[in-house]
Amino acid sequence: LPLLIGIDSRISQNLRWAYWIFFGNMVLRAIAELWMMYVSHNWHPYWGISHDVFSAFLILALLFQTQPKTELDKNIDLNFKVAGLMFFIEICFAWYMLNNVTSDGGPVYFVPGDGQYFGILAITWVVVIALTIQQFFLYKKWLN
């Protein structure tokens, strides 16, 4: 989504630039995290939490550089704020995993799907569904 917003000329230049910066941040995260998980095998939830904190504050800093003027800009700006909030939610999930999920078979990257973790998995689904609904509303406003 940040890439598509970044190339939409109907959106203000400052807001598009903020999404480009955010997109670059996430590309770098993907490269580093995938390398750490599958090549060097030194990934730890603290790395993810650290990047989540950085990303949330990056979004906050970038929001100070934007001045949404049109209705479309306001919707895109709201989406950016939701993305920032999402990182704080992800921090909570990672913290839960760090403190409640262990494995004798190596590092744990995801909460297992067994009954012991039903509560956190149910909360995860509620958050995913809420974020998906928010994205559908954004798409409707953005594409019309």
Side-chain angles (χ1 to χ4, degrees):
L1 184 63
L3 180 61
L4 295 175
I5 289 172
I7 62 173
D8 189 338
S9 62
R10 298 173 300 154
I11 300 167
S12 71
Q13 180 65 30
N14 286 347
L15 201 49
R16 288 187 301 151
W17 184 243
Y19 270 86
W20 274 111
I21 292 169
F22 178 68
F23 177 72
N25 173 54
M26 295 309 294
V27 167
L28 291 174
R29 177 187 182 151
I31 293 167
E33 200 164 287
L34 290 170
W35 178 269
M36 293 171 81
M37 284 179 166
Y38 300 109
V39 178
S40 65
H41 304 286
N42 64 341
W43 183 85
H44 191 277
Y46 285 134
W47 289 113
I49 291 170
S50 298
H51 186 266
D52 291 343
V53 169
F54 172 80
S55 296
F57 283 108
L58 175 65
I59 287 173
L60 181 63
L62 291 170
L63 283 169
F64 281 113
Q65 305 300 316
T66 64
Q67 297 291 332
K69 294 178 176 88
T70 67
E71 195 61 33
L72 178 58
D73 278 359
K74 290 176 185 173
N75 288 308
I76 299 298
D77 186 72
L78 174 63
N79 185 68
F80 210 31
K81 291 173 183 169
V82 169
L85 176 63
M86 177 198 67
F87 284 107
F88 286 110
I89 294 169
E90 187 173 321
I91 289 166
C92 294
F93 289 146
W95 189 259
Y96 174 89
M97 187 180 77
L98 181 64
N99 291 295
N100 296 291
V101 180
T102 59
S103 170
D104 296 330
V108 179
Y109 301 137
F110 306 100
V111 174
D114 62 40
Q116 176 183 356
Y117 304 105
F118 175 78
I120 194 69
L121 293 172
I123 292 169
T124 302
W125 273 107
V126 168
V127 169
V128 167
I129 290 168
L131 289 171
T132 302
I133 290 169
Q134 183 270 334
Q135 291 293 285
F136 280 123
F137 280 116
L138 172 69
Y139 293 146
K140 184 178 179 186
K141 292 176 182 179
W142 182 25
L143 298 176
N144 288 331

